[in-house]
């Protein structure tokens, strides 16, 4: 399998962000695309805790006073 990346041929600098939101693990990566350069994909390694509330659970908690 060829893993070589082509040089970016766009006219201006761009930022690409990728998010993988999974049920157990999630990840993020980004790359700056500079004209004439080979993109370097970088992973985000710092873990950030996000609290996601389920609307049904939130409504039930409001109804029961918890």
């Amino acid at each position: 399998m060829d893993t070589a990346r082509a040089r970016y041929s766009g006219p201006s600098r761009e930022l690409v962000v990728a998010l993988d939101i999974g049920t157990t693990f999630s990840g993020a990566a980004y790359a700056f695309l500079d004209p004439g350069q080979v993109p370097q994909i970088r992973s985000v390694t710092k873990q950030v805790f996000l609290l996601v509330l389920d609307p049904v659970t939130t409504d039930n908690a409001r109804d029961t006073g918890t």
Side-chain angles (χ1 to χ4, degrees):
M1 182 163 112
D2 185 14
T3 59
R5 292 189 185 93
R7 294 180 185 274
Y8 175 61
S9 60
S12 61
R13 188 175 208 206
E14 300 285 339
L15 170 64
V16 177
V17 177
L19 300 174
D20 177 7
I21 301 172
T23 55
T24 304
F25 298 103
S26 296
Y30 68 95
F32 286 103
L33 304 179
D34 291 311
Q37 300 296 315
V38 175
Q40 298 296 315
I41 299 171
R42 303 188 193 286
S43 295
V44 176
T45 57
K46 183 175 175 96
Q47 298 296 317
V48 177
F49 175 76
L50 297 175
L51 176 61
V52 178
L53 297 175
D54 178 5
V56 174
T57 304
T58 305
D59 285 342
N60 289 341
R62 189 174 342 141
D63 292 341
T64 61
T66 57

